[in-house]
């Protein structure tokens, strides 16, 4: 065979080299969009980045229930232990007491310690016999709160705080978000015939539980995107009626059932109900058991709470 010329050999080599380069730069699919990425150059098949989640405001709505309110502390402890951030607090009656202390910056353990060391006599002040609008004045509770909080007003709390009470003349709810914390909480806790009504600015106020047993709607009104409601009220069928106070609380429970159900169904994203069936609203001796019941209720609800909270953040 006649040997090929040097020029032809060089041309054949160049064609072979070009073919090899093309083969190396082409995928089996032969598509231009499937080419090997070049460092520093964005590729067309990079997966899209996850949509950044907008921060949502979580509101905690703490309901009324007298001594059963110690369960709120257990709920707060359990939420903190699971890194559930609460941004604002609305409280009714007993819930306003715990809510004010929590909003001031106290964590669950500080609240727990304060509750166990609390002397019931320090928040009780019997009215004189001729003052028949209530057995208790409520001033002792007011002073206890203001002393514990160093007279910090509602608008100066670490977390936004709303305290719900009822206008005795009109029957309308009022949400206190400014002013004297002790007076507002005293008004929210003024169970008719037990506490004297609280006079402020030409109005008289009584227990917020008459109009909002668990203030989920007010937490929403304050700007919450997601509301965790805590219902510590007794069910009518399991209510304890061993004393006149218990009978009165049972009456409020019965009257408030429809209001509470409507408000929770419409405004609460999650409702936590501590198991307090055996505890009377007047029994301060079971405060530790109530705190534990609050913790247990959160543990039971946590899967649902986390799922709904995640869904709310994704939808934001």
């Amino acid at each position: 065979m006649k040997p090929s010329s040097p020029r032809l050999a060089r041309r054949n080599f160049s064609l072979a080299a070009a073919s090899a380069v093309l083969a190396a730069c082409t995928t089996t699919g032969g598509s231009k969009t499937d080419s090997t990425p070049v460092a520093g150059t964005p590729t067309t098949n990079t997966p899209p980045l996850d949509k950044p989640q907008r921060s949502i405001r979580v509101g905690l709505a703490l309901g009324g229930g007298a001594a059963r309110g110690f369960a709120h502390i257990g709920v707060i402890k359990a939420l903190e232990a699971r890194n559930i951030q609460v941004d604002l607090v609305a409280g009714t009656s007993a819930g306003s007491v715990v809510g004010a202390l929590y909003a001031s910056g106290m964590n669950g353990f500080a609240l727990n310690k304060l509750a166990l060391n609390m002397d019931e006599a320090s928040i009780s002040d019997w009215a004189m016999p001729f003052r028949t609008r209530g057995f208790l004045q409520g001033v002792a509770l007011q002073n206890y709160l203001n002393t514990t909080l160093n007279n910090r007003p509602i608008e100066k709390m670490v977390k936004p705080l709303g305290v719900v009470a009822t206008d005795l003349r009109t029957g309308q709810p009022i949400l206190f978000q400014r002013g004297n914390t002790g007076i507002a909480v005293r008004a929210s806790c003024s169970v008719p015939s037990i506490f004297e009504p609280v006079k402020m600015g030409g109005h008289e106020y009584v227990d917020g539980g008459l109009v909002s047993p668990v203030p989920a709607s007010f937490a929403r009104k304050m700007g919450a995107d997601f509301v965790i409601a805590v219902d510590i009220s007794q069910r009518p069928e399991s209510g304890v009626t061993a004393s006149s106070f218990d009978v009165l609380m049972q009456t409020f429970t019965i009257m408030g059932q429809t209001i509470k159900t409507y408000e929770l169904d419409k405004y609460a994203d999650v409702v936590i109900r501590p198991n307090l069936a055996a505890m009377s609203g007047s029994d301060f001796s079971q405060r530790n058991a109530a705190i534990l019941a609050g913790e247990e209720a959160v543990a039971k609800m946590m899967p649902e709470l986390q799922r709904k909270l995640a869904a709310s953040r994704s939808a934001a």
Side-chain angles (χ1 to χ4, degrees):
M1 182 187 302
K2 183 178 179 180
S4 52
S5 66
R7 180 178 297 177
L8 181 59
R10 284 196 300 271
R11 192 173 84 172
N12 290 340
F13 175 78
S14 298
L15 289 173
S19 297
V21 170
L22 287 174
C25 293
T26 305
T27 62
T28 56
S31 170
K32 292 181 180 180
T33 57
D34 289 334
S35 61
T36 305
V38 179
T41 303
T43 61
T44 57
N45 59 349
T46 302
L49 296 175
D50 291 336
K51 178 184 176 182
Q53 291 184 342
R54 184 178 71 84
S55 177
I56 65 171
R57 301 187 78 197
V58 176
L60 186 62
L62 303 178
R68 295 156 66 94
F70 288 108
H72 289 317
I73 296 174
V75 169
I76 290 169
K77 285 177 64 180
L79 292 176
E80 288 180 338
R82 291 162 176 81
N83 296 316
I84 303 296
Q85 175 67 42
V86 171
D87 300 294
L88 59 90
V89 188
T92 288
S93 198
S96 73
V97 178
V98 177
L101 295 169
Y102 179 46
S104 74
M106 290 188 184
N107 63 23
F109 286 100
L111 292 172
N112 197 143
K113 181 178 179 181
L114 186 69
L116 296 182
N117 291 331
M118 179 187 292
D119 179 9
E120 185 180 349
S122 66
I123 58 173
S124 303
D125 49 358
W126 296 97
M128 298 298 289
F130 54 83
R131 299 174 66 173
T132 58
R133 300 186 75 196
F135 297 113
L136 299 172
Q137 290 178 269
V139 177
L141 173 62
Q142 172 185 322
N143 292 339
Y144 174 82
L145 259 295
N146 283 337
T147 299
T148 304
L149 299 174
N150 295 316
N151 294 308
R152 182 181 299 182
I154 297 173
E155 68 271 18
K156 297 294 184 181
M157 295 295 176
V158 175
K159 299 180 189 292
L161 170 67
V163 176
V164 181
T166 304
D167 188 312
L168 182 59
R169 184 177 64 84
T170 67
Q172 294 298 308
I174 177 86
L175 179 68
F176 292 108
Q177 293 183 273
R178 298 183 61 82
N180 187 298
T181 304
I183 292 177
V185 170
R186 173 188 168 195
S188 183
C189 293
S190 292
V191 178
S193 81
I194 298 296
F195 285 89
E196 293 184 340
V198 177
K199 295 181 179 181
M200 285 186 280
H203 293 261
E204 288 188 316
Y205 298 101
V206 291
D207 196 300
L210 295 173
V211 290
S212 184
V214 186
S217 64
F218 289 98
R220 192 77 69 177
K221 182 178 180 180
M222 290 170 64
D225 302 301
F226 188 92
V227 176
I228 302 171
V230 187
D231 179 13
I232 58 168
S233 62
Q234 288 180 322
R235 295 179 181 274
E237 63 271 17
S238 62
V240 180
T241 55
S243 67
S244 59
F245 178 79
D246 291 335
V247 172
L248 184 62
M249 294 304 294
Q250 173 78 339
T251 303
F252 287 153
T253 298
I254 295 169
M255 291 191 308
Q257 281 293 97
T258 301
I259 300 172
K260 182 184 70 175
T261 300
Y262 171 80
E263 186 166 6
L264 292 179
D265 286 348
K266 186 171 183 179
Y267 298 104
D269 294 283
V270 171
V271 182
I272 297 171
R273 293 184 172 92
N275 183 6
L276 301 167
M279 183 176 179
S280 162
S282 60
D283 189 356
F284 279 75
S285 67
Q286 294 193 58
R287 62 190 76 178
N288 192 54
I291 292 171
L292 291 175
E295 294 184 57
E296 291 169 357
V298 172
K300 184 178 180 180
M301 288 291 297
M302 189 50 56
E304 179 183 349
L305 172 55
Q306 290 178 323
R307 175 174 55 79
K308 289 186 174 181
L309 191 55
S312 182
R313 284 175 174 150
S314 297

